[in-house]
Amino acid sequence: MDINLTLIGQSLAMFVFVWFCMKVVWPPLLGAIEERQKQIEEGLAAADKGQESLVRAAAEADDIVAGARTQATGILDQAHARANEIVTDGKSDGVKERDRQLSVAKAEIEQEANRAREELRGQVAAIAIASAEKILEREIDSKAHDDILSKLAQEL
Amino acid sequence: MAVEGGHGALTSDQYIAHHLQNLQVCRTETGEWIWNQCAGNPMTINVDSMFWSILLGVVFITLFSRAARKSSSGKPSKFQAAVEIIVGFVDGSVKDTFHGKSRLIAPLGLTIFVWVFLMNLMDLIPVDWIPLAAGTIGIPYMKVVPSTDVNVTFGMSISVFVLIIFYTIKNKGVKGFIGELTLHPIAPPTRGVGLIAAPFIIAFNFILESVALIAKPVSLSLRLFGNMFAGELIFILIAIMFSGHWLLGIGGGVLHLGWAIFHLLIVTLQAFIFMMLTIVYLSLASETH
């Protein structure tokens, strides 16, 4: 219980240890702690930012997909319309072609009929002349009566 | 059995007295240094207190400076994390209380906390182990808990006291320091008839404030000393039971365990209180009104 020199010794020891602690121990330890705190803070902020940009990217992707979808629908509609148009065009073309060919065929038939009629007429004229020759029993100068004959043939 | 330890049979009184005796070396009036004949001699050094106190201080500095050297802001090792918890705890306590800027106070708090904690922790080593070991190599006395030595606790609290006065003068000037001692709590009148009473009021204030100021280191050291001394004494008393009947010995074992667990709380708490009060006193000294 006596107060003695130990007191001074202890005080000196304490000053030495506190000084040591102040110089060697405290600054690097607290520096490391504060540095890490800053890193953690930055890490958390970066994570938040990443999360945010992820959300933004997702929204952007949704927008793009929706745009593509409407575009695709538009293209599909257009294609349908074009197809319908082509089908309609084809149909009308077909009808026109058919009509044309039909009229060509009709004209050809008419021509053929006319030609046959002409031929028939000529033959009838010939037959008529022959018949007349036979009736008249004399040869008609066909050259002299050609105009009559042709007129006759015309009248047939 | 413990009672027989090394010195032949002892009575309980002698056993306790032996455990409370420091290993001392002192300078006599004739100028020579002698061992253990030092009662009442102020030129005495308690060798065991100094040895254990400095050893534990070196343990503290070694452990923490190793952690500090290896410290990095990356992923900390387990040891570094443990050290950082203590440092962070002290730093938090200082920042809560002390609002000024000082490079000294936080390291001072850390040193006090860990050092006092380690010194108190020596109390949990069974009271006979180290004295017996020391006895076998011829050292007659060995008190292993430095904080049960009133010199050690006063040494620390007087260092704190010096710092309190240093900080007060540094932050408020000599005038502020004297003013703090004389102008509170009753402000002396500065004019009129009351001027006659002013010296008495100043004297009254001075007595009151001086007592308050001196009470700081005294209470700081006596609180720690009293708690640790009482704890040590109870461990010694329990240890006496081991030398009695074997039933008493078992009872002593149970008591020892219980007291050790409870003492663990006191050990930590006293270290914390010493640190906290130091910070509070120094922040009071730095505060400008």
Side-chain angles (χ1 to χ4, degrees):
Chain A
M1 269 303 284
D2 298 330
I3 296 292
N4 56 35
L5 275 183
T6 315
L7 189 151
I8 293 164
Q10 177 72 11
S11 303
L12 288 177
M14 181 168 161
F15 274 107
V16 169
F17 286 133
V18 168
W19 181 82
F20 232 93
C21 181
M22 195 171 92
K23 290 289 165 199
V24 180
V25 175
W26 190 265
L29 274 176
L30 202 71
I33 291 174
E34 279 169 353
E35 179 76 26
R36 191 174 316 112
Q37 278 173 342
K38 218 170 69 191
Q39 276 177 5
I40 289 171
E41 205 174 308
E42 282 167 1
L44 288 177
D48 274 356
K49 208 179 281 175
Q51 192 75 28
E52 209 172 278
S53 68
L54 185 70
V55 169
R56 214 173 323 120
E60 216 165 286
D62 279 355
D63 276 1
I64 289 169
V65 167
R69 195 167 286 149
T70 47
Q71 208 174 346
T73 317
I75 288 169
L76 213 58
D77 284 354
Q78 251 175 342
H80 274 305
R82 181 87 189 105
N84 285 337
E85 209 174 293
I86 287 168
V87 167
T88 324
D89 278 5
K91 256 184 203 160
S92 68
D93 278 0
V95 169
K96 263 188 220 154
E97 180 67 15
R98 189 194 63 189
D99 288 353
R100 194 178 63 80
Q101 283 189 359
L102 212 57
S103 61
V104 165
K106 268 183 187 161
E108 235 165 65
I109 287 165
E110 200 144 315
Q111 240 172 7
E112 205 72 14
N114 282 343
R115 204 152 41 85
R117 198 177 291 144
E118 249 4 83
E119 209 172 309
L120 208 55
R121 206 177 272 156
Q123 276 174 4
V124 168
I127 288 167
I129 290 165
S131 314
E133 268 175 1
K134 276 204 180 125
I135 294 164
L136 291 172
E137 298 269 354
R138 65 169 176 109
E139 191 138 346
I140 297 165
D141 186 4
S142 58
K143 272 177 197 150
H145 306 287
D146 207 18
D147 57 334
I148 303 164
L149 283 175
S150 65
K151 202 183 273 176
L152 201 71
Q154 282 284 287
E155 276 166 25
L156 275 170
Chain B
M1 57 175 187
V3 169
E4 270 94 25
H7 303 281
L10 294 172
T11 65
S12 294
D13 284 353
Q14 284 170 319
Y15 176 77
I16 293 169
H18 177 256
H19 268 283
L20 296 182
Q21 177 61 47
N22 283 106
L23 179 69
Q24 293 177 318
V25 64
C26 55
R27 190 170 185 274
T28 58
E29 281 163 13
T30 55
E32 54 186 332
W33 291 87
I34 54 167
W35 288 87
N36 299 323
Q37 307 286 321
C38 304
N41 188 340
M43 295 293 286
T44 304
I45 292 173
N46 294 345
V47 179
D48 46 4
S49 293
M50 284 316 299
F51 171 77
W52 289 107
S53 145
I54 290 172
L55 179 75
L56 292 167
V58 168
V59 165
F60 156 65
I61 288 292
T62 311
L63 285 179
F64 276 63
S65 63
R66 222 186 64 178
R69 241 198 339 277
K70 288 184 180 167
S71 70
S72 65
S73 56
K75 183 170 169 286
S77 65
K78 288 192 176 71
F79 175 64
Q80 195 195 331
V83 167
E84 280 181 5
I85 287 171
I86 300 171
V87 170
F89 164 68
V90 173
D91 190 48
S93 305
V94 171
K95 282 196 177 129
D96 283 346
T97 315
F98 184 80
H99 299 296
K101 262 199 164 306
S102 170
R103 295 194 308 120
L104 172 68
I105 290 189
L108 173 73
L110 179 70
T111 309
I112 286 175
F113 179 64
V114 180
W115 197 18
V116 171
F117 177 78
L118 288 175
M119 289 198 285
N120 292 353
L121 205 61
M122 296 299 287
D123 220 353
L124 294 177
I125 297 172
V127 286
D128 278 318
W129 284 10
I130 295 174
L132 271 184
T136 54
I137 57 169
I139 299 170
Y141 302 108
M142 185 53 73
K143 225 174 133 190
V144 297
V145 192
S147 48
T148 58
D149 185 343
V150 79
N151 288 293
V152 168
T153 60
F154 260 109
M156 298 179 79
S157 72
I158 286 173
S159 305
V160 171
F161 182 65
V162 170
L163 283 175
I164 291 173
I165 292 173
F166 171 75
Y167 266 78
T168 312
I169 292 175
K170 187 185 158 204
N171 289 295
K172 301 168 188 171
V174 180
K175 242 173 98 180
F177 178 53
I178 294 168
E180 201 153 76
L181 282 179
T182 52
L183 304 180
H184 298 280
I186 306 168
T190 48
R191 59 183 166 184
V193 211
L195 221 48
I196 304 160
F200 299 104
I201 290 173
I202 286 173
F204 176 75
N205 283 343
F206 181 70
I207 292 167
L208 213 63
E209 287 296 310
S210 303
V211 168
L213 185 66
I214 290 164
K216 284 175 183 175
V218 172
S219 68
L220 202 56
S221 61
L222 284 185
R223 180 182 302 109
L224 178 62
F225 165 73
N227 272 285
M228 297 325 291
F229 187 81
E232 174 81 345
L233 198 62
I234 287 173
F235 275 126
I236 294 169
L237 292 176
I238 290 169
I240 290 173
M241 293 173 75
F242 295 137
S243 58
H245 193 263
W246 63 270
L247 263 174
L248 205 62
I250 291 171
V254 173
L255 278 176
H256 185 99
L257 180 70
W259 183 242
I261 291 169
F262 179 65
H263 207 57
L264 206 56
L265 181 73
I266 298 176
V267 161
T268 321
L269 196 66
Q270 287 304 319
F272 174 70
I273 288 173
F274 203 111
M275 174 196 82
M276 209 58 219
L277 284 178
T278 304
I279 297 168
V280 168
Y281 290 156
L282 288 179
S283 71
L284 281 177
S286 309
E287 239 166 43
T288 41
H289 298 290

